[in-house]
Amino acid sequence: MALQIENNEVAVFAIGGLGEIGKNMYVIQYQNELVIVDAGIKFPEDDLLGIDYVISDYQYLIENQEKIKGLFITHGHEDHIGGIPFLLQKIPNIPIYAGPLATALIKGKLEERGLLNSTEIHVLQEDDFVKFNYLSVEFFRTTHSIPDTLGIAVHTPQGVIIQTGDYKFDFTPVGNQPAPNLQKMAKLGSEGVLLLLSDSTNAEIPTFSKSERFVGNTIHQIVERIDGRIIFATFASNLYRVSQAIDAAMQNGRKVAVFGRSMEQTIVNGRELGYLNIPDSELVDAAEINKLPANKVLLLCTGSQGEPMAALSRIANGTHRQIAIQPGDTVIFSSNPIPGNTISVNHLINSLEEAGANVIHGKINNIHASGHGGQEEQKLMLRLIQPKYFMPIHGEYRMLKIHTGLAQLCGVPKENTFIFDNGDVLALTANSARKAGHVPAGDVYIDSNGIDDIDNIVIHDRQMLSEEGLVIVVATIDYHKGLVLSGPDILSRGFVYMRESSTLISQAQKRAFHVIKNYLDQRNEEKTPKNRNFESILKRDIIDDLQEFLYRKTERHPVILPMIISTKV
Amino acid sequence: MALQIENNEVAVFAIGGLGEIGKNMYVIQYQNELVIVDAGIKFPEDDLLGIDYVISDYQYLIENQEKIKGLFITHGHEDHIGGIPFLLQKIPNIPIYAGPLATALIKGKLEERGLLNSTEIHVLQEDDFVKFNYLSVEFFRTTHSIPDTLGIAVHTPQGVIIQTGDYKFDFTPVGNQPAPNLQKMAKLGSEGVLLLLSDSTNAEIPTFSKSERFVGNTIHQIVERIDGRIIFATFASNLYRVSQAIDAAMQNGRKVAVFGRSMEQTIVNGRELGYLNIPDSELVDAAEINKLPANKVLLLCTGSQGEPMAALSRIANGTHRQIAIQPGDTVIFSSNPIPGNTISVNHLINSLEEAGANVIHGKINNIHASGHGGQEEQKLMLRLIQPKYFMPIHGEYRMLKIHTGLAQLCGVPKENTFIFDNGDVLALTANSARKAGHVPAGDVYIDSNGIDDIDNIVIHDRQMLSEEGLVIVVATIDYHKGLVLSGPDILSRGFVYMRESSTLISQAQKRAFHVIKNYLDQRNEEKTPKNRNFESILKRDIIDDLQEFLYRKTERHPVILPMIISTKV
């Protein structure tokens, strides 16, 4: 597959990340060199049943793998690094460049899948400059809800292309993290930037996001005034938040116990990289908790999004091996529910309160701040970088649209802004930009732990099954004699109760019998050649008849599954 | 007067602007060169009766006038340029450097007082670089509630000193005004800044100020839906706001009439400098208004702060020569009351509504945005400039204090921050900063149009008069004979009604008579030398006696003014 661009044009496109929140993956290519920025997963929406992850379609990269110079990682969130194991299984040996924390997280992933030695990982520092033949890459510090976040500037023969990564402008970051490097961004802006690809997540928020430090103050105030046990739930990847919860615990004489595998990993990574400052003496394990007074412990755990298998859900519903809610416990959700998770989070809060806990959550207590900048920060980025062309990334359509409006207000001419879909190719020279065709960029579904791609029909079936139920029709047939030897029997699951609907089922049975009988009679009369498709034609006939009949009777569309057992001819 | 600093130290101090909002005036001096930044006035608070302006004490500048290289103006608001005529009356020939709009406003002031030729005014552009022997001055664009706002960077042998002027970060300014020059600020920051003096006005506001463009959208929406006449009141100096009101009027087929001298001047300046785009055909005068349908006019006027002599107050109370409120009128206050003016603004709103108008004001309709940046913008400035030392300016103590806290959160060590008073001198080298004495920096009161300084005793008397009233005691005396020839008569104003208090007054009369008689008797008996002070001793005696008496009877402290007429000796 070749791009439909001129030899002097730079191609820029997303394989994932446009029109969605998730699976970020962007490609910048000049002639026979391309660099990839990020390789994320998306968590499936509720209607993707049994799907664990969604990744991007790597077909273009597979076909052009000899051109790949490197995969550059903006930061260690799943929607930016989660796809790496799947990508490396398809294309080994892509050199990876990532900051210290992202590197630790990626290594963890690769180790789990036995891929640790499949490629080299270069640990990036902000001042690094990675040079290829045509392309070279440099970096600038940003701030986000995870440490070691970088914006990426790719120097091409036609100009500089900047991908911001996820960012907010947190001028007072927590701990020893540096503030955003405004000077480097402004310098790139002064020298001239051809294209800016900028994070659109909070384009609908007209303000400036609160600093993580502001959240820290609230956490301290809350922890200070609580008497019983504290269960503190947040995103494991938000090392800032974890660090502030630990600080608050230590300042109030509470030992910290950690629950949830990713939270445990965060503590290990955070201590190794120097982002968490907690002596061994302050950490306790589950067994020790019950020996300490309630006001001397803080439990740090995963599951703030209501994930059913995470520590907090298991604690709430009494299935956790070591911890159960006891009256007087306070559970702090230092997070906001991601839109798709609102219902499960609400359910979790109800369970916790029913079990006797007090629950403090983000919306009512200022104990969460977004990791993404609002409009004022998006405008600040635009004014620092002063790009000639602009493409909003990392967002659903309405966010991309608002962000494009901001770019125009900040001096980018309307005709220089591009709201693209995944796969749409932008072809650039120093003085021109045009849409130039499309590369494959569909969704690829990952089931359980495998890499097998699940296609859309499977997902559709699962959706039908979950919403409408299943009707199985079984019959044994002797094609030669034109006889129905047994059945048709009808089984259903998730459709109607058999007992209550015996009339419906026996009617369906009769209809199925007539369909089969008619088919066999016609077939014998016509003396048509016995083609290989006879079974599928019969099945189609059964499905069509029963579908119409059952819908007329019940207004439902169950999945109808005929099983025809034919006697050996 | 000499500064108490070493020869290699740079001195930085405020003659006005610290611990207050108003009369900004800052001095940066190295050896025999000094530059002044701004020369503002302050409007008096309510307890300064009969005082029109407060200016700074220019004594240090007068004594060191041969060192003054120039007066650099950040922008054209009164609290930054209002003192210039008074300064030039004391020290002519100070070269003034100011942006285009500030220049127009300063020229207007100087012309009024016949001072236009007393000095040279250089019209600044952002890229100008003004070089003296030791000091040189450059500029960076900022945004504020008036066009042509500049931050000022003074290069000294010990490092760069930046005074931000008043600023917000408006990334989407109105009309043809440019956005803040982030690149230049970041470049100064990269190269190293010794001291930052930064606007503290909104240090108590934890957010990012709304863009002026946001206000414009609201104005358009409001003007669109109103049927009757619109009276639009705002700060005359806010050319952005004026321009948006005019745009909204024109887009809705309304002609614009202008009321108030400063508003008229704004229209003239704005059109001359290209900031206002309104053809003659869209402007109408007062006579024409009454010939047009109500929904075809917008009256633009001064007085949004409830100033009693401004156009809006006169319209409200029926004393305007040409315009009276009529039912169906809508009055828009595109402003927030300055704290001291809240009562008069509320009174004005009441009057307008009683006269039949609908009133829309800032707090309830998003039709005002502050011209000063909130905390996020103050932090942005700190992170762009990255100063070694920090001194908050332009604010009352509590604002300076919060701003200093922000500086510490943004990486300026606590011992490198200085909350100073007017007159306190900061002595700097590249590696040190210390407080080094004090220069005079008291308040100087300006009465009516004169330049005569009014001292504090006068103000105190006016305050007493206004709050407690006046009692005059008149007596004619023959000292030789020791006789009271007539009186004492008692007159009072603002103290008690004579008629209702005839007993009180006649008692006071008797007491005064006795004081005088006793004095004369003792004087004759003692045969003391007739010294020149006899009258003031007698007056003091009368005041002491009546003060005690009247306070006992009324709990008031009227100003007591004895007038002793003595027959010629």
Side-chain angles (χ1 to χ4, degrees):
Chain A
M1 177 180 305
L3 296 170
Q4 300 160 28
I5 63 169
E6 305 296 324
N7 200 42
N8 68 334
E9 286 177 326
V10 179
V12 180
F13 53 92
I15 302 185
L18 298 184
E20 62 188 347
I21 299 282
K23 68 178 171 66
N24 290 281
M25 192 170 205
Y26 304 89
V27 174
I28 295 160
Q29 180 173 348
Y30 184 76
Q31 296 181 7
N32 63 348
E33 282 189 355
L34 75 81
V35 295
I36 309 168
V37 177
D38 290 339
I41 49 163
K42 185 164 71 171
F43 292 101
E45 293 177 12
D46 285 344
D47 52 359
L48 290 179
L49 300 146
I51 292 301
D52 292 316
Y53 312 119
V54 186
I55 59 169
S56 302
D57 183 342
Y58 300 142
Q59 189 190 331
Y60 180 85
L61 295 173
I62 293 167
E63 292 179 20
N64 292 275
Q65 54 186 285
E66 78 291 349
K67 302 192 178 83
I68 301 173
K69 294 296 158 189
L71 166 61
F72 292 85
I73 299 299
T74 59
H75 65 288
H77 276 152
E78 283 297 309
D79 57 336
H80 295 259
I81 64 168
I84 294 176
F86 308 110
L87 180 65
L88 289 179
Q89 280 176 322
K90 299 280 185 187
I91 317 170
N93 295 319
I94 299 177
I96 298 175
Y97 298 81
L101 179 58
T103 298
L105 293 166
I106 293 166
K107 283 188 170 164
K109 278 180 190 302
L110 297 183
E111 200 158 25
E112 266 177 23
R113 293 174 190 266
L115 288 165
L116 196 50
N117 298 316
S118 70
T119 193
E120 49 189 299
I121 305 185
H122 306 270
V123 183
L124 283 178
Q125 301 302 328
E126 190 196 13
D127 291 337
D128 288 345
F129 195 90
V130 182
K131 218 173 145 17
F132 306 112
N133 188 24
Y134 294 120
L135 304 175
S136 50
V137 187
E138 68 172 324
F139 312 91
F140 54 89
R141 284 193 319 264
T142 59
T143 43
H144 184 44
S145 48
I146 187 171
D148 296 343
T149 318
L150 293 170
I152 288 177
V154 181
H155 295 260
T156 78
Q158 295 293 352
V160 175
I161 293 166
I162 286 184
Q163 211 272 25
T164 61
D166 295 6
Y167 69 91
K168 69 195 282 190
F169 282 94
D170 190 341
F171 297 127
T172 54
V174 172
N176 56 0
Q177 282 284 304
N181 193 337
L182 299 171
Q183 284 69 28
K184 198 159 184 180
M185 296 182 222
K187 185 160 182 284
L188 285 160
S190 292
E191 291 163 359
V193 170
L194 184 61
L195 172 69
L196 173 65
L197 306 154
S198 183
D199 173 11
S200 310
T201 313
N202 276 351
E204 295 171 300
I205 313 290
T207 55
F208 203 96
S209 289
K210 288 199 183 71
S211 170
E212 191 58 36
R213 188 175 294 268
F214 174 86
V215 181
N217 294 342
T218 315
I219 292 175
H220 275 261
Q221 285 161 17
I222 291 175
V223 168
E224 212 170 65
R225 66 164 201 249
I226 292 175
D227 269 337
R229 289 200 308 189
I230 296 175
I231 300 173
F232 191 96
T234 191
F235 300 102
S237 65
N238 194 334
L239 255 169
Y240 302 117
R241 201 65 57 80
V242 170
S243 137
Q244 304 208 73
I246 290 175
D247 285 353
M250 283 164 52
Q251 278 188 26
N252 288 280
R254 289 175 184 264
K255 305 277 179 188
V256 176
V258 179
F259 295 90
R261 206 167 57 98
S262 57
M263 192 62 84
E264 285 162 10
Q265 195 53 50
T266 288
I267 303 290
V268 172
N269 288 338
R271 293 175 91 189
E272 264 175 21
L273 296 169
Y275 298 145
L276 284 182
N277 221 332
I278 178 166
D280 284 333
S281 60
E282 299 302 313
L283 286 168
V284 292
D285 64 23
E288 290 172 85
I289 291 173
N290 298 320
K291 297 180 201 150
L292 289 166
N295 65 356
K296 294 292 175 212
V297 286
L298 181 142
L299 288 66
L300 197 56
C301 69
T302 54
S304 64
Q305 290 297 313
E307 305 92 319
M309 297 309 295
L312 188 57
S313 287
R314 289 185 286 124
I315 292 172
N317 61 30
T319 60
H320 195 278
R321 281 179 301 122
Q322 298 152 310
I323 303 293
I325 291 294
Q326 59 195 41
D329 283 355
T330 300
V331 181
I332 301 175
F333 285 77
S334 188
S335 59
N336 277 347
I338 292 166
N341 297 342
T342 311
I343 292 167
S344 43
V345 170
N346 288 345
H347 180 74
L348 176 56
I349 292 174
N350 291 336
S351 302
L352 288 164
E353 295 202 327
E354 282 165 21
N358 299 314
V359 178
I360 294 174
H361 50 98
K363 284 252 160 111
I364 53 174
N365 279 283
N366 277 326
I367 46 171
H368 182 64
S370 176
H372 300 271
Q375 289 184 357
E376 292 298 343
E377 288 153 283
Q378 292 170 346
K379 293 194 287 182
L380 172 54
M381 183 63 84
L382 280 155
R383 289 295 188 183
L384 283 166
I385 302 298
Q386 308 180 113
K388 182 172 180 129
Y389 299 104
F390 177 74
M391 187 196 293
I393 58 168
H394 203 287
E396 298 175 21
Y397 184 81
R398 62 188 196 286
M399 304 161 189
L400 305 182
K401 184 145 192 292
I402 294 173
H403 201 176
T404 302
L406 297 179
Q408 289 165 25
L409 288 174
C410 288
V412 183
K414 186 168 186 198
E415 64 274 18
N416 287 10
T417 61
F418 299 91
I419 304 182
F420 269 21
D421 276 330
N422 288 332
D424 289 345
V425 177
L426 183 68
L428 291 162
T429 70
N431 301 304
S432 68
R434 65 185 184 93
K435 189 172 164 181
H438 197 84
V439 300
D443 284 354
V444 173
Y445 302 123
I446 306 288
D447 199 344
S448 72
N449 288 319
I451 188 164
D452 293 319
D453 308 351
I454 316 288
D455 80 8
N456 269 316
I457 294 165
V458 175
I459 299 299
H460 182 253
D461 279 356
R462 287 184 182 171
Q463 199 167 353
M464 295 282 285
L465 284 168
S466 76
E467 291 170 6
E468 313 275 323
L470 170 71
V471 171
I472 301 170
V473 182
V474 189
T476 314
I477 291 170
D478 183 326
Y479 281 103
H480 270 289
K481 300 191 179 149
L483 290 176
V484 180
L485 298 180
S486 82
D489 292 324
I490 292 200
L491 285 166
S492 82
R493 285 287 180 279
F495 172 54
V496 288
Y497 277 114
M498 285 287 197
R499 202 169 304 168
E500 289 169 6
S501 316
S502 52
T503 322
L504 183 72
I505 297 297
S506 66
Q507 283 176 335
Q509 227 168 346
K510 279 178 199 147
R511 295 186 71 97
F513 179 81
H514 285 295
V515 172
I516 298 168
K517 198 73 185 87
N518 279 347
Y519 174 82
L520 293 173
D521 290 353
Q522 276 184 28
R523 191 163 168 276
N524 280 348
E525 279 163 21
E526 288 170 10
K527 311 285 179 204
T528 48
K530 292 169 187 67
N531 70 55
R532 310 287 301 168
N533 275 330
F534 64 90
E535 253 191 47
S536 65
I537 292 166
L538 174 56
K539 285 177 177 175
R540 191 71 256 162
D541 285 352
I542 295 170
I543 290 170
D544 286 350
D545 186 275
L546 288 187
Q547 214 158 43
E548 188 273 334
F549 169 73
L550 292 173
Y551 184 74
R552 187 153 40 79
K553 293 286 183 190
T554 65
E555 294 200 343
R556 291 197 196 164
H557 280 300
V559 173
I560 296 167
L561 199 59
M563 299 178 70
I564 306 298
I565 301 152
S566 57
T567 52
K568 290 268 156 38
V569 182
Chain B
M1 178 181 304
L3 297 171
Q4 300 160 29
I5 64 169
E6 303 296 321
N7 200 41
N8 69 332
E9 286 177 324
V10 178
V12 179
F13 53 92
I15 303 185
L18 298 184
E20 61 188 348
I21 299 281
K23 67 178 171 69
N24 289 281
M25 191 168 204
Y26 304 89
V27 174
I28 295 160
Q29 178 173 348
Y30 184 77
Q31 295 181 5
N32 62 349
E33 282 189 356
L34 75 83
V35 296
I36 310 167
V37 177
D38 291 340
I41 48 164
K42 183 164 73 170
F43 291 101
E45 293 176 13
D46 285 346
D47 52 359
L48 290 180
L49 301 145
I51 293 299
D52 293 315
Y53 313 118
V54 185
I55 60 170
S56 303
D57 183 340
Y58 301 141
Q59 188 190 332
Y60 179 85
L61 295 173
I62 293 166
E63 292 177 20
N64 292 275
Q65 55 187 285
E66 77 292 348
K67 303 193 177 82
I68 301 174
K69 293 296 157 190
L71 166 61
F72 292 83
I73 299 298
T74 59
H75 65 288
H77 276 151
E78 284 297 309
D79 56 336
H80 296 259
I81 65 168
I84 295 176
F86 308 110
L87 180 64
L88 289 180
Q89 281 177 321
K90 298 279 186 189
I91 316 170
N93 295 319
I94 299 177
I96 299 175
Y97 298 81
L101 179 57
T103 298
L105 293 165
I106 294 166
K107 283 187 171 167
K109 278 181 191 301
L110 297 183
E111 200 160 24
E112 266 178 21
R113 293 174 190 267
L115 289 165
L116 196 49
N117 299 316
S118 70
T119 193
E120 48 189 301
I121 305 184
H122 306 270
V123 183
L124 283 178
Q125 302 301 328
E126 189 195 15
D127 291 337
D128 288 345
F129 196 91
V130 182
K131 219 175 145 13
F132 305 112
N133 189 24
Y134 293 119
L135 304 175
S136 53
V137 187
E138 67 172 326
F139 312 91
F140 55 88
R141 283 191 322 260
T142 59
T143 43
H144 183 44
S145 48
I146 185 171
D148 296 344
T149 318
L150 293 170
I152 289 176
V154 181
H155 296 259
T156 79
Q158 296 293 352
V160 175
I161 294 166
I162 286 184
Q163 211 273 24
T164 61
D166 294 7
Y167 68 92
K168 68 196 280 191
F169 282 95
D170 190 341
F171 297 127
T172 54
V174 172
N176 55 1
Q177 282 284 303
N181 193 338
L182 299 172
Q183 284 69 28
K184 199 160 184 179
M185 295 182 224
K187 185 160 182 284
L188 285 160
S190 293
E191 292 163 0
V193 170
L194 184 62
L195 173 69
L196 173 65
L197 306 155
S198 184
D199 173 11
S200 309
T201 313
N202 276 352
E204 295 171 300
I205 313 289
T207 56
F208 203 96
S209 290
K210 289 201 182 70
S211 170
E212 191 59 36
R213 188 176 295 268
F214 174 87
V215 180
N217 295 341
T218 315
I219 293 175
H220 275 259
Q221 286 162 17
I222 292 175
V223 168
E224 212 170 67
R225 66 164 201 251
I226 292 175
D227 269 338
R229 288 198 309 189
I230 295 175
I231 299 173
F232 190 98
T234 191
F235 300 102
S237 66
N238 194 334
L239 254 168
Y240 303 117
R241 200 66 57 79
V242 169
S243 139
Q244 304 209 74
I246 290 176
D247 285 353
M250 282 164 55
Q251 278 187 26
N252 288 281
R254 289 176 184 264
K255 305 279 180 188
V256 176
V258 180
F259 295 91
R261 206 167 59 99
S262 57
M263 192 61 84
E264 284 163 11
Q265 194 54 47
T266 287
I267 303 289
V268 171
N269 288 338
R271 294 175 91 189
E272 263 176 22
L273 296 168
Y275 298 145
L276 283 182
N277 222 332
I278 178 167
D280 283 336
S281 61
E282 298 302 312
L283 286 167
V284 293
D285 64 23
E288 289 172 86
I289 292 173
N290 298 319
K291 295 179 199 150
L292 289 166
N295 65 355
K296 294 292 174 210
V297 287
L298 181 144
L299 288 65
L300 197 57
C301 68
T302 54
S304 64
Q305 289 298 314
E307 305 93 318
M309 296 311 294
L312 188 57
S313 287
R314 289 185 286 124
I315 292 171
N317 62 29
T319 60
H320 195 277
R321 279 178 303 121
Q322 297 151 312
I323 304 295
I325 291 295
Q326 59 195 42
D329 284 354
T330 301
V331 180
I332 300 175
F333 283 77
S334 188
S335 59
N336 277 347
I338 293 166
N341 297 341
T342 311
I343 292 168
S344 42
V345 170
N346 288 345
H347 179 75
L348 176 55
I349 292 174
N350 290 336
S351 302
L352 288 163
E353 294 201 326
E354 282 166 21
N358 299 313
V359 177
I360 294 173
H361 50 97
K363 285 253 159 108
I364 53 174
N365 279 281
N366 277 327
I367 45 171
H368 182 64
S370 176
H372 299 270
Q375 289 183 359
E376 291 298 342
E377 289 152 284
Q378 291 169 346
K379 291 194 288 182
L380 172 54
M381 183 63 83
L382 280 155
R383 288 295 187 182
L384 283 166
I385 302 298
Q386 307 180 115
K388 182 172 181 131
Y389 299 104
F390 176 74
M391 188 196 293
I393 57 167
H394 204 287
E396 298 175 21
Y397 183 81
R398 62 188 195 285
M399 305 160 188
L400 305 182
K401 183 145 193 293
I402 294 173
H403 201 176
T404 301
L406 297 178
Q408 291 165 23
L409 288 173
C410 289
V412 183
K414 185 167 185 198
E415 64 274 19
N416 287 9
T417 61
F418 299 91
I419 305 182
F420 269 21
D421 276 330
N422 288 332
D424 288 345
V425 177
L426 184 68
L428 291 162
T429 71
N431 300 305
S432 69
R434 64 184 184 92
K435 187 171 165 183
H438 196 85
V439 300
D443 285 354
V444 173
Y445 303 123
I446 306 288
D447 198 344
S448 71
N449 288 318
I451 186 161
D452 293 321
D453 308 350
I454 316 288
D455 79 10
N456 268 316
I457 295 166
V458 174
I459 300 299
H460 182 255
D461 279 354
R462 286 182 182 170
Q463 201 168 351
M464 296 281 285
L465 284 168
S466 76
E467 290 170 8
E468 313 277 323
L470 170 71
V471 171
I472 301 171
V473 181
V474 190
T476 314
I477 291 171
D478 185 326
Y479 281 103
H480 269 286
K481 299 188 178 152
L483 290 177
V484 180
L485 298 181
S486 81
D489 291 324
I490 292 201
L491 284 168
S492 81
R493 286 286 179 280
F495 172 55
V496 288
Y497 278 113
M498 286 290 197
R499 204 169 304 171
E500 291 171 7
S501 315
S502 51
T503 320
L504 183 72
I505 298 297
S506 65
Q507 282 175 334
Q509 227 168 347
K510 277 177 202 149
R511 295 184 73 95
F513 179 81
H514 284 296
V515 171
I516 298 168
K517 198 73 185 85
N518 280 345
Y519 175 81
L520 292 174
D521 291 351
Q522 278 183 25
R523 192 166 170 274
N524 280 347
E525 281 163 20
E526 290 171 10
K527 312 283 178 203
T528 49
K530 291 164 189 73
N531 71 57
R532 309 288 300 170
N533 275 330
F534 65 90
E535 254 191 46
S536 63
I537 293 167
L538 174 56
K539 284 177 179 176
R540 192 69 257 162
D541 286 351
I542 294 170
I543 290 170
D544 287 348
D545 185 276
L546 288 188
Q547 215 159 40
E548 186 274 334
F549 169 72
L550 292 174
Y551 183 75
R552 186 154 40 81
K553 293 287 183 187
T554 66
E555 293 199 345
R556 289 194 198 164
H557 281 300
V559 173
I560 297 165
L561 199 62
M563 298 177 71
I564 306 297
I565 302 154
S566 58
T567 52
K568 292 267 159 42
V569 182

